Amino acid sequence: MHVFIAGVMQGSRLDPEIDSQDYRVAIVEALKAHFPHTRVTDPWAMYPDSVGYDLERLQTTFIANTSLAAEADLLIAYLPHASMGTAIEMWTAYHNNAYIVAVTPMTHNWVVRITADEVLPDLESLLAHIVSGKLAENIAARNGQRQA
């Protein structure tokens, strides 16, 4: 299984800083512990200095990340607030039949409502969902429905 970790990096910031990316570490650790044969794509781990990229490198990196999101079987989108890049990754993954879990309080957001198979309110809920095996069950159930 290929999992893409999408989520807020800059969101709606007006400065050149990055929001905390600690959520990525927690998600990757939980996935590796409970889905040991999973390939995880974490754009932050791949491009930690991306906020300083010039326009050409930004475009190349954005296209590469969007392509990786399109290849994912599962996309986890961490959205405590809006992120335009994450919305595009979700949309791309949705069009390629990925299972999408949105971790967000934005339950009325159109992109979340249209693309997400599941919506969880916060990181703790996601981690519990992974540990309990419920995420694996839900993915299997959805995949079984598509094959039927």
Side-chain angles (χ1 to χ4, degrees):
M1 179 168 64
H2 175 205
V3 181
F4 187 94
I5 308 298
V8 172
M9 288 189 189
Q10 286 186 292
S12 297
R13 296 182 74 106
L14 301 178
D15 59 29
E17 300 301 318
I18 299 289
D19 285 3
S20 171
Q21 299 298 295
D22 291 347
Y23 67 91
R24 294 176 181 276
V25 174
I27 292 169
V28 170
E29 287 176 357
L31 289 170
K32 291 293 186 180
H34 297 280
F35 294 92
H37 302 292
T38 296
R39 180 178 130 221
V40 177
T41 296
D42 176 0
W44 177 251
M46 295 166 58
Y47 307 104
D49 300 320
S50 59
V51 72
Y53 289 178
D54 64 27
L55 182 58
E56 182 178 345
R57 190 156 182 209
L58 282 172
Q59 290 171 332
T60 303
T61 303
F62 184 79
I63 291 167
N65 281 336
T66 305
S67 295
L68 288 168
E71 297 171 6
D73 301 301
L74 167 63
L75 182 136
I76 297 174
Y78 180 76
L79 292 166
H81 52 89
S83 165
M84 295 188 326
T86 301
I88 292 170
E89 291 162 348
M90 292 172 74
W91 186 247
T92 302
Y94 171 78
H95 280 283
N96 287 282
N97 298 314
Y99 192 89
I100 299 173
V101 177
V103 181
T104 184
M106 298 184 301
T107 58
H108 300 289
N109 178 282
W110 281 22
V111 174
V112 170
R113 290 178 60 200
I114 290 167
T115 64
D117 292 282
E118 296 187 64
V119 179
L120 300 170
D122 52 38
L123 181 60
E124 293 74 25
S125 298
L126 171 65
L127 299 176
H129 201 53
I130 294 169
V131 170
S132 71
K134 190 68 176 163
L135 176 59
E137 289 174 19
N138 292 349
I139 292 169
R142 208 273 315 252
N143 288 342
Q145 289 173 354
R146 284 199 175 165
Q147 293 173 2

